[in-house]
Structures are given as structure tokens and as C-alpha cells.
Amino acid sequence: MKRSAKVTIAAILVIGIFSISIVSVPAFAEWDKFNYPEIQGTIPVSPGDDFGQKDAIVLTVAMAVGENSVSDGKAVYGKLANVNGFLVYKVIVIADNHAYHKILVDAGNGEALYVSDVMKKEKSSHKKFSDKKHGEKMKNYFKGMSDEQIAEKKRQFKEMGEAYKSLSLQDRASLVIHFMQMKLQWDSMSDDEKAQKRTDMKQMFQDYLPLTLEEKKQKLQAYIQSLN
């Protein structure tokens, strides 16, 4: 798959549909470029290993450990990864002020191996490039809208993030797992199926935006129930 296609589906499924909030995007954009300190885990892995056959704890547990490792915040995302030759869950915890923590959780025993300090946007060259690309995408999205319409859209985006964070930890983990599975299925889809999936997801997002905060939460909960 071309990298642009991977970025598109990741943006649609992981960030676009159930957006944590516009401000949280740098947490995902910098995810794999972050320099973690040396850690010692319990499950050694090598490149190419099937992580799903090695982990001992589930994503819900890893996200709970992430939340319990900081004083305030909601775990909004997590994935298995190889860090320093050990299998860990990389977890993102968003704080109320839209700052975030990056946490490494041992996939074997659930121990928090690393907890970053609270992080905000930094003015590094890569950050500027990442933020610039995101800014261009949002500029295109808001093209033709009045200032009032843009303000309303941003409010709706923020509410999507609030609705997502208000879900139970189990529900948040279920959504993450669901969309990660959809990403894995992407390669096996035909071009028509991919186009239809993009259309369906974008339409779902547009349908959710104008709802009230409580309605957004109810819709998300109903969507999760439909997955079971």
C-alpha cells in the first residue's frame, strides 16, 4: 500500500471519525518519532514478530495502567509496539488542558515502564512541518465557510473529543481495537470497497457533528454496541 493511502485511512479511522480533538493531533503525528529511554520489558520481540501472539495483557488493561500512571487524564489510544526489543503498549493519555502523556506499558505484566512529563506542542522543525500540514488540511476543510461557521465547526469537533473521552475505558478500548482491525483489513479491500469505506466514514462523521454533546455520546455508545 502506498504511504499516502495508509495516512489517509489512519487519519479517517483513528483521528477523523472519533477525533480526540484538533489539538491532540500532534500526539499521534509524533508517535513513532519519539525517543524513549532504555526500558527492560518481560516479552522480548524481534522485527517481524506477530505481536498479537505474544502479549499477555489486553488493551483495556494497558489503557487503565496509563490513566493510573498520571494524576489527571483519559487514555484515548494504545497500540502494541517493539521498543528496545521488548513488547509494550504505547498509550496516549490526554489531559483536560489538551496536553498529553506518552506511556509505555509492559505487555507481559502491565507495569508502567515509562511515563513522559506532560507534553505540549514544541517548536521543533518536524513539529512545525507536522503542524503546517495539519493546518493546510484544516484550511481546505474550512474553505468557503464564514468565521461563524468555522467557529461552530470547531465547537462541534471539540464536542466529538469530549464525547469520546466521556465513554467508559472499555468502550474507548473497543473503538480503538475496532478501527485498528479495519486498518488491517484495508490491504485486502478492492479500490471500490476502499472508496465506499471512506465515504461511509466521512458521512458518519458529518452526521455526528451537528448533534448535541449528549447525543454524540449516545450515538458512540450505540455504535460500540453494534460491534458486539
Side-chain angles (χ1 to χ4, degrees):
M1 187 196 314
K2 292 182 179 180
R3 186 175 185 278
S4 60
K6 288 184 178 179
V7 172
T8 299
I9 192 63
I12 292 174
L13 300 183
V14 180
I15 300 175
I17 303 305
F18 300 114
S19 177
I20 310 310
S21 73
I22 294 174
V23 185
S24 74
V25 170
F28 294 93
E30 295 293 305
W31 188 237
D32 292 315
K33 298 183 179 297
F34 188 74
N35 292 321
Y36 293 98
E38 292 292 326
I39 56 99
Q40 184 78 25
T42 59
I43 302 179
V45 290
S46 301
D49 283 353
D50 183 354
F51 295 164
Q53 299 298 318
K54 291 177 174 289
D55 60 310
I57 65 169
V58 296
L59 176 61
T60 308
V61 172
M63 291 173 66
V65 172
E67 283 192 3
N68 292 332
S69 299
V70 298
S71 60
D72 179 51
K74 294 284 188 178
V76 296
Y77 183 68
K79 70 173 184 177
L80 285 169
N82 176 351
V83 175
N84 297 335
F86 294 99
L87 187 62
V88 301
Y89 278 97
K90 291 181 174 180
V91 177
I92 289 181
V93 176
I94 301 290
D96 287 341
N97 60 357
H98 299 299
Y100 57 94
H101 296 269
K102 292 186 176 184
I103 300 167
L104 298 182
V105 179
D106 189 298
N109 61 16
E111 178 185 355
L113 301 174
Y114 169 76
V115 180
S116 76
D117 293 332
V118 65
M119 305 176 71
K120 295 184 179 181
K121 292 183 180 181
E122 299 173 0
K123 295 182 179 180
S124 66
S125 58
H126 186 82
K127 282 282 189 180
K128 289 179 180 179
F129 180 66
S130 175
D131 291 345
K132 182 179 179 181
K133 289 198 299 181
H134 177 63
E136 289 173 350
K137 289 180 181 179
M138 297 311 299
K139 182 178 180 180
N140 290 333
Y141 181 84
F142 293 136
K143 188 175 181 179
M145 295 185 188
S146 65
D147 290 343
E148 291 77 12
Q149 290 172 323
I150 292 175
E152 176 62 15
K153 283 295 181 183
K154 288 184 176 180
R155 184 192 66 79
Q156 293 173 348
F157 284 143
K158 181 179 179 180
E159 280 192 350
M160 283 295 292
E162 292 174 354
Y164 175 75
K165 289 190 290 185
S166 73
L167 297 174
S168 69
L169 180 63
Q170 180 65 53
D171 284 348
R172 277 177 271 138
S174 294
L175 275 180
V176 172
I177 293 171
H178 172 61
F179 288 123
M180 293 299 280
Q181 289 173 340
M182 290 178 66
K183 284 178 63 181
L184 292 175
Q185 296 168 358
W186 190 251
D187 281 336
S188 63
M189 293 182 183
S190 67
D191 290 342
D192 287 343
E193 288 173 330
K194 291 176 182 178
Q196 186 60 53
K197 181 62 67 176
R198 288 193 186 99
T199 299
D200 292 344
M201 292 294 99
K202 289 179 180 179
Q203 185 59 54
M204 183 185 297
F205 188 47
Q206 293 302 320
D207 290 343
Y208 276 45
L209 279 178
L211 301 177
T212 65
L213 177 58
E214 185 59 30
E215 289 172 335
K216 286 182 174 76
K217 181 178 178 179
Q218 292 174 357
K219 281 283 189 179
L220 286 177
Q221 290 172 328
Y223 183 77
I224 294 166
Q225 291 175 0
S226 73
L227 302 176
N228 300 326

